[in-house]
Each structure stands twice: as C-alpha cells, then as structure tokens.
Amino acid sequence: MRRGNFQEGTVDYAAVGATSAHDLMSYPPERSVPAEASWRLGSGEVRFASSAEALLAWAALRGAGLEITDVRPAAGPMYSGVGFDAEGAPVAPSRLEADQRFDVDGTPYVAAGTTIRVHGRVKGMNADGELRVISATEEPRRVAFALGTVGSSVVSGEESFAVEWTDSDEVRFVVRAFDRPVSPLYRLLPPLVKRRRRELFQGYLRAISPLFTTPA
C-alpha cells in the first residue's frame, strides 16, 4: 500500500483536497464549477490492475490529447499522513519511501509532490498549465491521485482520478473536479468552463476504458 500527500510549494487555490469531499457537487469551493463522472470499466482483478497501471502512467491526461513535459518528482521521501489503529487511536505520522517507477518512454509515474507541465487544446480550448500531484494512493482495491493547478492555466482548481475495484467485482473509473475561471474569456463566458471540463472527461475515459461507455 502506498499513500502520499505533499504540502511543500504552493498551488494557486485554497481548497486543497476538496475533490475528495462527499458534498463537492452541492457545495463547491467559492466561485468554482464542480464536475464529476463515473464509468464502469469492466470487472475483476485483471481489469483493475491494467486500468490502475494506465492511470499511474498518466494515460488519462495523454488520452485527452495533452502533452506532458517537465516532469519533476518531489525531492526526498513523501509524508504518508496520520494513520489509525484498530481501536481508532491515531498512529504517529511516518515517512513513505517508494521506489520511483517509470513508463515505457522514461517518464516517472504519478507520485505525490510531482510537478508537471501540460500542453494542448481540447476542442479548440486552451488546456496548458502547470500542475502538482497533491496526493496519491495505491491500495489493494483503489488507486487514485489528485492534481492541483500551480499556474499558467485558464482555470484554477483541482481534479482527482480514481480506479476502484468494488466488493461486487465491478471496476469503475471516477473523475471529480472543480474549476474557477481565471482568464478573461472564461470569466466572461462561464459556460466555456463546463464545456472544457466535459471534453477533458471524455478524453480521460477514452484513454482508460476499453469500451468507452457512457457515464453512469
């Protein structure tokens, strides 16, 4: 099991980690537009393992047509956060030393604290920006990470990606996000924020799903 959170450095929004809030869609961070979608990828351990591997190799972003450059892993070990024992008592924080892994072209896998630059357009809409992995989780039945904007983007906010293997043997891909318009055009035309997010979600799905199903 690997878990990592990273606080060093500054993202350009205050509500760090808000994509994990159960009431995100009802109470998003101020002036932001929330979004979430969930798709069935299949079932079984093999499907979960292959989908999780693709997710950690940045396949979702690349599948949306984004080029990933300037990948900078965090220096030093990751802080794993506070855990709890069987009685619910807090366990002292620890450091997580994780072996760095790489995809076939040598790009480091997703890890907490990693900063990347993305370049591209989604249906003519700018998708450039600098992003930081603010958290990453690898558990036996769930693999997930969250990205926060650092700068140079038309929106400010966060998005999280998760591949989950449920108790019913179903494998699901869940994406959640909130975006606050930053550029003058997006602030003037708020519907563009939703359109941009919808196109990104569809690109993520094309990359991860073997079936490219409709959202459920």
Side-chain angles (χ1 to χ4, degrees):
M1 178 187 298
R2 301 173 187 231
R3 293 187 182 182
N5 299 290
F6 198 80
Q7 299 299 329
E8 184 179 324
T10 305
V11 291
D12 60 10
Y13 62 99
V16 176
T19 51
S20 63
H22 71 278
D23 56 357
L24 171 68
M25 297 303 293
S26 300
Y27 301 100
E30 188 177 3
R31 295 191 297 277
S32 68
V33 180
E36 68 176 354
S38 174
W39 300 272
R40 184 180 185 275
L41 300 181
S43 60
E45 184 176 5
V46 173
R47 176 64 65 206
F48 170 73
S50 62
S51 300
E53 188 79 5
L55 185 67
L56 293 176
W58 309 101
L61 274 68
R62 288 169 167 158
L66 304 179
E67 179 188 5
I68 298 174
T69 64
D70 194 18
V71 180
R72 289 165 282 155
M78 294 180 295
Y79 175 59
S80 64
V82 178
F84 299 87
D85 63 21
E87 285 72 42
V91 178
S94 61
R95 292 280 175 172
L96 176 65
E97 296 282 0
D99 294 334
Q100 181 67 65
R101 291 169 293 169
F102 300 86
D103 67 13
V104 292
D105 67 1
T107 302
Y109 268 32
V110 169
T114 297
T115 301
I116 64 173
R117 286 190 177 274
V118 296
H119 307 274
R121 302 186 72 81
V122 180
K123 295 285 185 168
M125 293 173 284
N126 189 322
D128 291 358
E130 185 174 4
L131 307 171
R132 177 165 294 128
V133 180
I134 61 168
S135 64
T137 302
E138 290 183 65
E139 297 175 338
R141 302 185 76 97
R142 184 176 186 271
V143 170
F145 70 94
L147 282 172
T149 53
V150 175
S152 307
S153 176
V154 295
V155 298
S156 171
E158 184 178 298
E159 57 187 342
S160 64
F161 308 81
V163 172
E164 302 172 347
W165 181 20
T166 69
D167 291 340
S168 63
D169 203 39
E170 188 175 61
V171 178
R172 299 196 69 82
F173 178 37
V174 181
V175 187
R176 310 183 86 212
F178 61 86
D179 298 306
R180 178 177 59 83
V182 172
S183 76
L185 177 62
Y186 281 69
R187 293 169 67 180
L188 182 64
L189 300 172
L192 286 180
V193 177
K194 290 186 177 181
R195 180 184 169 194
R196 177 181 183 273
R197 176 53 57 190
R198 184 171 59 248
E199 294 297 337
L200 283 170
F201 274 19
Q202 291 301 302
Y204 299 156
L205 176 62
R206 281 192 293 271
I208 300 297
S209 173
L211 304 173
F212 189 47
T213 55
T214 10

